[in-house]
């Protein structure tokens, strides 16, 4: 493109931005703060709940491992064959 010519889409965007802007509600900022605070509280609650569930699952795993001791092998249940004397 030459230096003097602009893209028609760019011209259209410039006209849209230079035109009259729509009026915003006067309580928009207060509403945004309220909604943001609500989201933040909800996110904190979800994180705390997830952390609590993770801690409970880990403690249950540790209790199970302490009781069952899956790393130890079980004693043999097979007895050698009895031979007659």
């Amino acid at each position: 493109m030459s230096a003097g010519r602009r893209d028609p889409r760019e011209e259209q965007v410039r006209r849209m931005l230079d035109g009259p802007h729509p009026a915003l509600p006067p309580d928009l900022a207060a509403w945004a703060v309220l909604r943001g605070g609500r989201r933040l509280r909800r996110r904190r609650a979800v994180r705390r709940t997830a952390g609590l569930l993770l801690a409970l699952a880990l403690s249950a795993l540790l209790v199970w491992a302490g009781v069952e001791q899956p790393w130890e092998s079980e004693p043999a249940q097979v007895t050698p064959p009895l031979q007659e004397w």
Side-chain angles (χ1 to χ4, degrees):
M1 288 185 156
S2 66
R5 252 179 111 198
R6 289 190 177 162
D7 187 18
R9 289 179 287 177
E10 183 179 344
E11 287 295 326
Q12 185 179 11
V13 169
R14 285 183 189 275
R15 281 194 307 270
M16 287 173 55
L17 291 175
D18 288 340
H21 299 292
L24 297 176
D27 61 342
L28 180 64
W31 180 77
V33 168
L34 181 69
R35 187 169 180 192
R38 195 178 315 142
R39 268 190 174 170
L40 186 61
R41 285 190 302 275
R42 191 174 296 149
R43 188 175 296 155
R44 281 184 192 153
V46 166
R47 282 185 182 167
R48 286 180 183 156
T49 303
L52 179 65
L53 289 175
L54 182 64
L56 287 174
L58 182 62
S59 62
L61 176 71
L62 291 176
V63 167
W64 170 80
V67 170
E68 290 295 319
Q69 298 180 351
W71 53 87
E72 290 183 359
S73 61
E74 292 195 20
Q77 298 293 327
V78 178
T79 57
L82 181 63
Q83 295 181 2
E84 299 204 22
W85 300 48

